[in-house]
């Protein structure tokens, strides 16, 4: 990218020319290696034998260049070369230089090693034939995200060949693509696939870091997710397999979103592994107090110091690489608040890195999704990331869980729910109390479950977490889950409880897929997978976390509901507005919303707030810009007693076509028709969708 293209970005230090072309750049004279260290006194390139990562065959000093960059050009740097760097520097608070430590160069595109702390970088030729396949570029209003684990998705799939189980190639196998397409999801969001390591404490317990939120390097795909043949061939083949996966998913019209962990690294706190940034320039790359103590706002031992231009540029360059060289379609930023903290460790949405991510032309076409919190002071920032960003909406998650689960549990014991329907309706309509009119409903990534926490089935089956298998005496994982077991903890043979749980899952899925905003479905929730009550299964690489594809009839029926709901979402633009409507003003691509009670009358203020009143008719009419006019009516009934609901008389509406009901075990495809003023009976805790014609 040329310098003029970046001149509009207000981040001169971050975008300084001195920080261009870091890492290895191949050329006619071999390779040029450029490494930044603001405090180093000496750097060396160590080149290793092609087959023995412990046999150093040459050591070459790097020379200081401008802006803290050290450089060397040598014919020894060629595709396949294994190398490390050694860095020497001052002692004192905050420094962790050790001239004998062999370190991973931060921009390395390939890695080999023992998977824990003994790593070597590898020079790769990252050329690839994309065959003319382009990114799908799915509009946000049509995006339905499917969050899953690269290995867990295909590990047990019976139609994926065993050699491809749990691999990049396995994810792109026709059997997996057919599942994604049959559901109707448009994007696969993968838990971390940057090279990562398992923490020593987990290894001591015989466990592993399954989720992968423990990055060793920001440019290298995790080699254990590649097929055995690719791993044997080396990092270049691993990268080709990853790109091949992306190409095949794109060919099927599916986007690839990566969950990226730039907020901390696998080096943990002091005493943890010294594999890369700590040994290169600990003082600059990690947030610290004056005495060298880490400022840990991630809960993982360290926090990457994005107030340092070189650290922020490392992240920006990694994003450019994955978005352009590897052609991924978007990123979900883990603990994104950490990335926006300034030199005083305070969050600002105008942080130079956040602005650069938002404004960089090289990232213009990628989806940018923030997990808008971390564990530091002022860490909860939902709604505050500004235009260009989408955010995980934890307020949506909590309100939806409360309405369908914990409120119902409360009502069973107290005869009335604790709150009315008003807060739930706000979330259903796009969370306008969280996101500005400028950003609109698509700023909200709506979710009810995610990789972190109970699965959907466990959410309706357990009152408390069951994490003893994690080796922490059940202390880890969230204690507040807003779940409800419906009368029995975990497994039960009580058909009444099981039927109520199934309907609760349908209500949660219906809410998710019929709400304004961008829905994110957690892999396996479409057929009710369980982790047996474990709400923090990050350390289990086993059948507990791998998706099972052997389904009971009720699981196939639940999946049929998900398919129908996603199809209805795509067919009815009133369900997926891009903008918030304004009073007395026509807003294109919005949905004009009206609210009625069970009598078909306009909702009164008293009914919005009355805990005893939890029945609502929600009418959304589209304001067409690129699609035909559309209007829907959604009935919500949040009490366990049945109720009769009168369809409202609305100007221009002659009939209501029933499209879906959560009361049905199997989706009703008959689409019965009702007249305005006609009475519809709803069973307890039910949703029903109509198209108003």
């Amino acid at each position: 990218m040329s310098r003029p293209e970046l001149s509009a970005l207000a981040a001169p230090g971050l975008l300084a020319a001195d920080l261009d072309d870091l890492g290895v750049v191949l050329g006619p004279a071999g390779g040029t290696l450029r490494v930044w260290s603001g405090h180093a006194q000496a750097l060396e390139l160590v080149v290793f034998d092609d087959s023995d990562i412990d046999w150093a065959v040459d050591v070459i000093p790097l020379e200081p260049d401008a802006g803290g960059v050290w450089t060397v050009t040598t014919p020894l740097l060629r595709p396949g070369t294994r190398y490390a760097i050694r860095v020497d520097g001052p002692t004192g608070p905050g420094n962790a230089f050790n001239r004998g430590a062999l370190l991973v160069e931060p921009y390395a595109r390939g890695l080999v090693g023992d998977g824990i702390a003994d790593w070597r970088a590898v020079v790769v030729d990252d050329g690839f034939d994309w065959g003319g396949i382009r990114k799908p570029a799915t509009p946000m209003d049509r995006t339905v995200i499917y969050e899953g684990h690269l290995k867990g998705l295909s590990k047990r799939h019976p139609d994926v060949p065993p050699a491809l189980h749990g691999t990049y190639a396995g994810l792109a196998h026709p059997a997996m693509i057919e599942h994604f397409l049959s559901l109707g999801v448009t994007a696969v969001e993968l838990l971390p696939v940057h090279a990562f390591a398992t923490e020593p404490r987990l290894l001591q317990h015989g466990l592993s870091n399954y989720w992968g939120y423990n990055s060793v390097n920001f440019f290298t795909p995790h080699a254990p997710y590649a097929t055995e043949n690719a791993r044997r061939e080396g990092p270049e083949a691993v990268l080709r397999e990853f790109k091949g996966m992306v190409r095949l998913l794109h060919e099927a019209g599916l986007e690839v979103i990566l969950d990226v962990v730039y907020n901390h690294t696998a080096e943990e706190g002091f005493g943890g592994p010294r594999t890369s940034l700590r040994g290169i320039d600990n003082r600059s790359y990690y947030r610290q107090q004056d005495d060298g103590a880490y400022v840990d706002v991630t809960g993982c031992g360290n926090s990457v110091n994005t107030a340092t231009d070189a650290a922020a540029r490392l992240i920006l360059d990694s994003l450019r690489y994955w978005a352009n060289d590897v052609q991924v379609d978007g990123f979900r930023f883990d603990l994104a608040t950490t990335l926006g903290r300034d030199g005083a460790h305070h969050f600002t949405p105008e942080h130079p890195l956040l602005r650069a991510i938002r404004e960089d032309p090289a990232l213009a076409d990628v989806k940018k999704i923030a997990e808008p919190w971390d564990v530091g002071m002022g860490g909860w920032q939902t709604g505050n990331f500004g235009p260009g960003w989408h955010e995980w909406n934890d307020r949506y998650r909590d309100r939806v869980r409360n309405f369908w689960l914990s409120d119902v549990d409360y009502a069973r014991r107290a005869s009335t729910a604790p709150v009315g329907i008003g807060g739930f309706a706000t979330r259903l309509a796009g969370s306008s109390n969280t996101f500005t009119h400028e950003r609109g409903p698509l700023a909200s990534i709506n979710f009810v479950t995610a990789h972190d926490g109970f699965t959907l089935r466990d959410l309706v089956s357990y009152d408390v977490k069951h994490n003893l298998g994690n080796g922490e005496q059940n202390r880890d994982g969230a204690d507040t889950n807003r779940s409800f077991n419906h009368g029995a903890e975990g497994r039960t043979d009580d058909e009444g409880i099981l039927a109520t749980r199934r309907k609760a899952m349908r209500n949660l899925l219906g809410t998710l897929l019929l709400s304004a905003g961008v829905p994110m479905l957690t892999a396996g929730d479409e057929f009710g997978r369980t982790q047996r009550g474990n709400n923090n299964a990050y350390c289990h690489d086993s059948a507990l976390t791998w998706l099972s594809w052997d389904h009971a009839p009720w699981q196939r029926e639940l999946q049929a509901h998900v398919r129908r709901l996603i199809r209805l979402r795509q067919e009815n633009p009133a369900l997926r507005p891009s903008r918030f409507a304004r009073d007395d003003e026509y807003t294109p691509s919005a949905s004009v919303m009206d609210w009625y009670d069970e009598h078909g009358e306009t909702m009164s203020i008293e009914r919005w707030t009355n805990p005893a009143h939890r029945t609502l008719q929600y009418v959304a009419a589209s304001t067409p810009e690129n699609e035909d006019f559309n209007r829907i009516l959604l009935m919500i009934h949040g009490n366990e007693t049945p109720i009769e609901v009168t369809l409202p008389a609305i100007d221009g509406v002659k009939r209501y076509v029933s499209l879906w009901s959560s009361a049905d075990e199997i989706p009703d495809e008959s689409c019965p028709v009702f007249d305005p003023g006609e009475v519809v009976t709803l069973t307890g805790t039910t949703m029903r969708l109509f198209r108003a014609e």
Side-chain angles (χ1 to χ4, degrees), residues 235-504:
E236 205 168 286
V238 172
L239 180 58
R240 281 200 308 272
E241 184 176 319
F242 191 101
K243 290 180 176 179
M245 172 194 74
V246 174
R247 182 177 63 187
L248 287 170
L249 291 171
H250 282 177
E251 193 172 14
L254 295 162
E255 293 188 312
V256 179
I257 298 172
L258 301 186
D259 193 335
V260 285
V261 188
Y262 294 123
N263 58 79
H264 75 281
T265 75
E267 292 184 307
E268 304 184 51
F270 274 120
R274 188 201 326 255
T275 55
S276 186
L277 303 181
R278 176 174 290 145
I280 294 171
D281 192 337
N282 184 63
R283 191 71 181 170
S284 297
Y285 277 112
Y286 294 119
R287 293 186 178 275
Q288 299 173 37
Q289 299 174 1
D290 291 342
D291 63 0
Y294 278 173
V295 177
D296 180 12
V297 297
T298 67
C300 300
N302 66 63
S303 305
V304 173
N305 185 12
T306 54
T308 301
D309 290 332
R313 179 63 176 270
L314 172 67
I315 293 168
L316 185 65
D317 286 345
S318 171
L319 293 169
R320 292 168 171 173
Y321 172 72
W322 289 98
N324 295 290
D325 292 64
V326 190
Q327 289 286 290
V328 303
D329 305 275
F331 303 96
R332 178 268 188 188
F333 294 83
D334 182 63
L335 300 183
T337 297
T338 300
L339 306 185
R341 291 184 180 271
D342 60 19
H345 317 303
H346 299 142
F347 174 79
T348 168
E350 293 303 308
H351 188 287
L353 175 59
L354 298 185
R355 288 196 62 189
I357 292 171
R358 184 178 72 219
E359 298 173 8
D360 191 338
L363 302 176
D365 67 340
V366 301
K367 294 175 168 64
K368 306 165 186 76
I369 301 169
E371 182 186 37
W373 53 78
D374 64 16
V375 301
M377 291 292 292
W380 187 74
Q381 293 292 335
T382 304
N384 294 333
F385 270 72
W389 286 90
H390 311 275
E391 301 176 38
W392 273 28
N393 189 348
D394 55 323
R395 290 179 172 182
Y396 176 94
R397 173 200 64 199
D398 294 348
R399 177 62 70 179
V400 171
R401 289 185 180 192
N402 281 347
F403 185 80
W404 291 117
L405 299 174
S406 56
D407 287 1
V408 175
D409 180 21
Y410 185 98
R412 283 192 182 184
R413 292 179 280 107
S415 76
T416 185
V419 296
I421 202 168
F424 175 83
T426 301
R427 298 299 162 195
L428 186 73
S431 297
S432 60
N433 60 345
T434 301
F435 302 101
T436 64
H437 270 269
E438 179 186 14
R439 298 180 67 192
L442 298 180
S444 178
I445 302 297
N446 297 332
F447 67 107
V448 176
T449 66
H451 66 275
D452 188 4
F454 280 143
T455 66
L456 181 71
R457 179 174 170 186
D458 289 353
L459 196 64
V460 304
S461 304
Y462 293 90
D463 280 351
V464 296
K465 65 187 181 183
H466 296 264
N467 296 358
L468 284 174
N470 297 358
E472 299 184 46
Q473 290 74 52
N474 211 41
R475 293 191 301 265
D476 65 303
D479 292 311
T480 303
N481 296 286
R482 296 174 169 82
S483 60
F484 180 30
N485 68 19
H486 292 89
E489 187 71 358
R491 295 186 62 179
T492 180
D493 295 326
D494 187 312
E495 181 50 42
I497 292 175
L498 292 174
T500 305
R501 287 176 178 176
R502 291 193 297 270
K503 185 167 64 172

Side-chain angles (χ1 to χ4, degrees), residues 110-134:
L111 289 177
V112 293
D114 64 4
I116 303 171
D118 194 15
W119 301 90
R120 303 291 180 266
V122 181
V123 180
V124 300
D125 179 352
D126 56 7
F128 184 77
D129 180 8
W130 290 97
I133 304 300
R134 303 178 65 84

